[in-house]
Amino acid sequence: MYKNSLISSTHSENTEKVNAKMTEAVMAALKAIHSAASPDSMEPEDLKRQRLGQEVLGRLVSPPIGFSWEPFTLDGMPMAWVRPERGHDRRRAILYCHGGGYTSGNLGYARVLAAKMAGATGCAVLVFQYRLAPEHPYPAALEDARAAWDYLMRQGWGARDILLAGDSAGGNLALELAMTLRDEDRFLPGRLILYSPWTDMTASGDSYESCRDLDPMLCADYIHAVRSAYAPNTDWSRPEFSPLFGDLRGLPPTLIQVGEREILLSDSLRLQEGLAQAGVPCVLECWKDLWHVFQMFPLKSASEAMEHVEHFLHQMG
């Protein structure tokens, strides 16, 4: 009995050491990628480097095997279905809004989280490459998200059988889409899944200061730059930019996952408070020692987070 306990303890310690080394390696890679670009500049050459860095990040954390990739276009907008090769749940689907500050991100970047969600939930995932700022500022991305939603409706999906997911700026977009559908008296998705959502473009949360030196991915200068590119010369506290300050009543049950070490931590904490006050069921998971959209990376915690998504989804019955 004692021997088995000792082996188990040793295995646990070794696993923790491996996870710690993996975390350190990923954080070093993240810092290297982001140091190659000027995060606070939207000049064409700097923006090109930022978008390239996003693509490199997608390749660095290449998606798992065991899924099909079926690209197509909708009125010129690149889209793709990601399906588990083992077969999938044909009753439900996931519409996924990728991140990138509204200024970068593409299908290659989106494929990583889409494949993980497909593998964890057994659902087909629809991804779309919305138009990017500054070339296409607000409301271009929201218009494209609505087009993707309408496509699903035309394909015969029931709104409540759709899980609407998004990371970072994609979390902002998912919230804005859900709020738009609600305001138009349309049926809403059955669940919202938000990974490190950007909910406050005014950057007024405490974590912008408290996590400033802890976040390996984001900085305040980057947030200021991309919000100006997306919605120049405007009041960023307006709900169409900062859903945190909007009417949250009537939104679907929501799962929020956020890292403890990111400057957007307050965006999630305050969103959970707002949803609770609005009477919306919400589960907030704050993951210790992790960073912005950590679910993308080859970490044990990322796998566990996807398992939580699967459990939350299948509460739909």
Side-chain angles (χ1 to χ4, degrees), residues 60-83:
L60 175 68
V61 290
S62 57
I65 60 174
F67 67 92
S68 65
W69 175 254
E70 305 166 22
F72 64 101
T73 59
L74 176 68
D75 297 329
M77 179 169 62
M79 304 178 73
W81 278 106
V82 182
R83 308 183 199 270

Side-chain angles (χ1 to χ4, degrees), residues 257-288:
Q257 294 182 341
V258 65
E260 189 183 57
R261 301 184 58 163
E262 57 176 297
I263 61 173
L264 294 189
L265 174 60
S266 293
D267 287 45
S268 288
L269 298 179
R270 296 160 76 195
L271 176 64
Q272 189 275 333
E273 293 174 358
L275 289 170
Q277 292 174 3
V280 177
C282 179
V283 176
L284 171 67
E285 297 180 355
C286 183
W287 290 74
K288 182 177 174 59

Side-chain angles (χ1 to χ4, degrees), residues 159-195:
R160 292 185 177 88
D161 296 324
I162 303 297
L163 183 152
L164 181 57
D167 72 285
S168 194
N172 181 292
L173 184 56
L175 277 167
E176 294 293 352
L177 176 58
M179 294 166 76
T180 298
L181 294 172
R182 179 205 58 197
D183 293 345
E184 295 176 352
D185 292 324
R186 297 182 62 180
F187 290 118
L188 298 181
R191 292 284 189 276
L192 277 172
I193 303 293
L194 306 175
Y195 306 103

Side-chain angles (χ1 to χ4, degrees), residues 227-302:
R227 74 181 182 184
S228 295
Y230 178 63
N233 304 315
T234 192
D235 177 3
W236 292 299
S237 68
R238 287 162 49 187
E240 59 264 43
F241 307 120
S242 297
L244 178 65
F245 306 129
D247 181 2
L248 302 174
R249 291 175 296 177
L251 292 182
T254 301
L255 172 64
I256 306 169
Q257 294 182 341
V258 65
E260 189 183 57
R261 301 184 58 163
E262 57 176 297
I263 61 173
L264 294 189
L265 174 60
S266 293
D267 287 45
S268 288
L269 298 179
R270 296 160 76 195
L271 176 64
Q272 189 275 333
E273 293 174 358
L275 289 170
Q277 292 174 3
V280 177
C282 179
V283 176
L284 171 67
E285 297 180 355
C286 183
W287 290 74
K288 182 177 174 59
D289 293 332
L290 292 175
W291 54 83
H292 191 62
V293 196
F294 67 90
Q295 296 87 344
M296 288 185 62
F297 299 93
L299 302 169
K300 180 182 178 183
S301 296

